[in-house]
Amino acid sequence: MSLQLVWFKRDLRIHDHAPLAAAARSGPVIGLYCFEPSLYAAPDADAQHLTFATECVLELRARLRRRGGELLLRTGDALEHLEQLVASLPITTIWAHEETGNALTYARDRRVRVWARGRGIPLRELRSGGVIRRLDSRDGWAETWDAMVRAPLAHPPARFTPLPWSNTPDAGADAAPSPGDPPTADALGARAHASRVHTMHGGERAAHATLTSFLADRGVDYRRAMSSPVTAFDACSRLSPHLAFGTISGRQAWQNARRRAEALRADDGHDPRWRGALSAFTSRLMWRDHFMQKLESEPLIECEPFSPAYANLRPAVPDAERLAAWIEGRTGYPFVDACMRALRAEGWLNFRMRAMLVSFASYHLWLPWQATAAALAPHFLDYEPGIHYSQFQMQSGTTGINTVRIYNPYKQGIDQDPTGAFIRRWVPELEGIPTEDLHAPHAMPALVAQMAGVRLGHDYPYPIVDHVTAYRDAKARIFAVRESVAAEAEAAVVLERHGSRRGRRA
Ligand SMILES: Cc1cc2nc3c(=O)[nH]c(=O)nc-3n(C[C@H](O)[C@H](O)[C@H](O)COP(=O)(O)OP(=O)(O)OC[C@H]3O[C@@H](n4cnc5c(N)ncnc54)[C@H](O)[C@@H]3O)c2cc1C
């Protein structure tokens, strides 16, 4: 009797899982998930990731068992556990998805490949979504992506070939390996970087419930409501943690959205806002793979700028006080602090506010994006290295190919939180300040401050930097590099390597 081993990583689902479907067609299936201390105790990880992953794998195990499979949970180095299983069980093939992760998973996967070759055990790694390994050119990438999302889903059979030990014990049956339990955060060295209040749960069921509520109801005003943190928590899909842990595939989300669009077309009375909402949503599913492709093609962008001309733009070592004030939400900019505190509690923030937080750190505070990206990663439940580092660089001006955008934090606050409700919720020390002074409390008259009962510099800090000066200095510094001959030459190279071809053709 031979076994097919499916190594689950950030693909914690059974539906639309090509390696699982292929493995199940080849024989009895046993799955493996490793809680790797090297990943969960790393600076970019947080205990919230462990909690979410644990929920995902427990549900996955129950689903696999219902089909006649098993999921082994192990704590430790993945390679050691793979070796142990291959040594003790009649495993003929290891199946997995190609993963576009951080430098640690990249190195781990390379070690596993070398080991599998040396051990003579076939390791079948299948493409994950629209990200292509060893991609030569971006030409034609979007067309391949279109074909991928329209292709049939890879579902496993309803019943797997029975495992050898599920039969009543007989002389020929193999001994069942222990299924194993998830570790505690302490055992794994996983650290909680903040106290969280969020209620996002892992697992395939939660992923589909989240998508369904978005497509049926919450998403109707998506295009308008996605920009403000007041409305975005409800109006955005909130699918990102599920996509990051793989409890749903991008293709499943895309096909569900397309089906919804078709149903709406047949319904004359539908709200016209749905059309834009669904098309904006499906575009973003492509952006996801577009950004992840950048890291897949150039893993170094986790720590080096896309364009080398920007390598020494900011100091290599961040100003510790500025970094601490930013990550703890006490910069003296109420809207910036409210966004940071909301993110720390909720594990999620909408795109525009993430961009503003990073712009503020990279321009106003002139902090190196490598340090701020590492500091923010544990707070994103949906931390996805491919999107994270590409977006950090984009919002910090170091890609050399994107428009430089320096957000005005006061304007963002007034535009996106006009009543101040969001600030009052997350920066309660400013609660009593009238709305017209709330976005820039340092400028309010002393009498107003007194009546509001707020002592600036004591209850809430003065602005850490002056907006006008910081903005002017940052702009001068970034454009001094951007307009250099070296930066212009490198921009062409970055564009060729990573740029979307869609706009170019148009
Ligand atoms: C500095 C910075 C860091 C970011 N880091 C991450 C990260 O670690 N993980 C992550 O999933 N997203 C990241 N994003 C992108 C974006 O903010 C989130 O994907 C989005 O807010 C998730 O919420 P949602 O699922 O409701 O998104 P929706 O708006 O409902 O979009 C659906 C899906 O499309 C994808 N998507 C949406 N916007 C983008 C985008 N701009 N670029 C790439 N893919 C996108 C995501 O997978 C998202 O789940 C980052 C953005 C910035 C500015």
Side-chain angles (χ1 to χ4, degrees):
M1 175 62 85
S2 66
L3 285 174
Q4 306 297 313
L5 179 68
V6 181
W7 178 24
F8 289 92
K9 295 182 276 183
R10 306 239 304 173
D11 49 358
L12 301 173
R13 63 180 180 277
I14 58 164
H15 295 292
D16 199 25
H17 193 296
L20 177 62
R25 281 196 302 272
S26 310
V29 171
I30 187 160
L32 168 70
Y33 180 81
C34 275
F35 291 93
E36 296 165 88
S38 59
L39 304 186
Y40 280 103
D44 59 359
D46 186 90
Q48 67 171 337
H49 298 131
L50 175 64
T51 306
F52 197 86
T54 301
E55 291 171 350
C56 295
V57 294
L58 290 178
E59 187 182 318
L60 176 64
R61 175 146 82 183
R63 284 175 183 265
L64 286 170
R65 282 179 176 170
R66 278 202 291 277
R67 283 174 147 75
E70 178 59 286
L71 180 66
L72 307 180
L73 302 181
R74 296 289 183 266
T75 299
D77 182 58
L79 179 47
E80 281 174 22
H81 285 296
L82 285 168
E83 168 60 35
Q84 220 170 65
L85 290 177
V86 167
S88 59
L89 294 170
I91 292 165
T92 49
T93 307
I94 301 173
W95 299 86
H97 269 122
E98 291 173 342
E99 181 179 352
T100 306
N102 60 11
L104 290 171
T105 61
Y106 181 73
R108 175 206 60 195
D109 288 352
R110 287 178 73 149
R111 281 198 304 277
V112 169
R113 273 195 292 279
V114 170
W115 162 80
R117 248 195 320 272
R119 188 78 166 68
I121 178 122
L123 170 63
R124 300 284 310 276
E125 290 183 283
L126 305 188
R127 187 177 289 175
S128 181
V131 179
I132 301 171
R133 191 153 281 180
R134 288 179 282 279
L135 180 70
D136 290 333
S137 159
R138 271 291 184 134
D139 293 343
W141 185 91
E143 289 74 12
T144 308
W145 192 89
D146 274 341
M148 180 280 296
V149 283
R150 285 166 207 278
L153 302 179
H155 288 315
R159 290 295 304 170
F160 296 167
T161 311
L163 289 163
W165 51 81
S166 63
N167 303 327
T168 44
D170 62 49
D174 291 294
S178 144
D181 293 313
T184 62
D186 281 349
L188 211 51
R191 185 178 146 213
H193 291 74
S195 58
R196 320 272 176 203
V197 297
H198 69 70
T199 50
M200 289 183 280
H201 290 293
E204 240 172 314
R205 190 191 317 270
H208 286 275
T210 304
L211 179 62
T212 302
S213 71
F214 173 72
L215 294 179
D217 175 38
R218 289 188 296 111
V220 66
D221 203 19
Y222 174 66
R223 273 183 80 170
R224 191 196 58 83
M226 70 165 79
S227 297
S228 165
V230 178
T231 44
F233 278 80
D234 195 44
C236 285
S237 75
R238 308 294 304 274
L239 214 54
S240 50
H242 291 290
L243 291 165
F245 284 84
T247 47
I248 194 167
S249 68
R251 172 160 61 186
Q252 286 175 293
W254 189 92
Q255 292 192 1
N256 274 292
R258 288 291 289 219
R259 265 199 300 280
R260 173 76 167 129
E262 275 157 27
L264 286 166
R265 261 198 294 280
D267 168 11
D268 291 341
H270 78 262
D271 189 321
R273 289 174 297 173
W274 272 115
R275 189 190 234 197
L278 294 174
S279 120
F281 174 66
T282 47
S283 300
R284 278 162 181 75
L285 293 173
M286 188 178 83
W287 296 1
R288 172 184 167 77
D289 286 348
H290 167 72
F291 279 101
M292 290 180 67
Q293 183 68 57
K294 297 180 193 224
L295 184 67
E296 175 64 38
S297 297
E298 199 163 351
L300 276 180
I301 62 161
E302 183 173 334
C303 46
E304 290 176 15
F306 278 95
S307 172
Y310 297 85
N312 299 314
L313 178 66
R314 298 183 175 89
V317 179
D319 179 311
E321 271 178 39
R322 286 184 174 195
L323 180 60
W326 176 74
I327 198 69
E328 287 164 19
R330 46 178 184 81
T331 64
Y333 282 77
F335 190 56
V336 170
D337 292 340
C339 288
M340 184 61 88
R341 294 184 197 184
L343 168 64
R344 291 170 67 97
E346 302 274 355
W348 185 90
L349 190 65
N350 60 321
F351 171 80
R352 183 185 284 253
M353 272 48 266
R354 294 185 197 205
M356 181 193 71
L357 284 181
V358 174
S359 159
F360 187 80
S362 294
Y363 293 113
H364 287 74
L365 303 182
W366 208 245
L367 293 167
W369 61 267
Q370 292 90 336
T372 50
L376 214 55
H379 296 289
F380 287 166
L381 179 59
D382 61 24
Y383 171 54
E384 183 66 77
I387 308 177
H388 195 70
Y389 295 106
S390 305
Q391 279 290 349
F392 256 82
Q393 292 218 41
M394 204 165 144
Q395 307 304 335
S396 306
T398 56
T399 66
I401 59 170
N402 302 103
T403 311
V404 170
R405 177 141 200 214
I406 309 178
Y407 284 80
N408 176 336
Y410 294 128
K411 181 175 183 314
Q412 286 301 315
I414 292 162
D415 289 352
Q416 308 304 340
D417 184 23
T419 68
F422 189 74
I423 293 180
R424 288 198 180 87
R425 174 167 177 211
W426 292 105
V427 192
E429 58 269 41
L430 301 179
E431 199 177 3
I433 296 180
T435 304
E436 59 271 26
D437 293 309
L438 192 60
H439 295 280
H442 64 282
M444 73 184 153
L447 187 62
V448 177
Q450 202 181 350
M451 285 174 64
V454 177
R455 287 166 302 164
L456 279 182
H458 186 268
D459 301 326
Y460 184 72
Y462 284 103
I464 186 166
V465 290
D466 172 62
H467 165 64
V468 174
T469 317
Y471 179 93
R472 192 194 52 216
D473 290 354
K475 199 170 162 195
R477 285 157 140 177
I478 188 95
F479 279 101
V481 177
R482 196 170 169 99
E483 284 159 8
S484 67
V485 177
E488 281 184 12
E490 283 163 13
V493 177
V494 176
L495 198 60
E496 180 57 31
R497 181 131 204 222
H498 297 288
S500 159
R501 302 298 196 258
R502 282 213 157 145
R504 264 208 243 174
R505 264 209 319 274

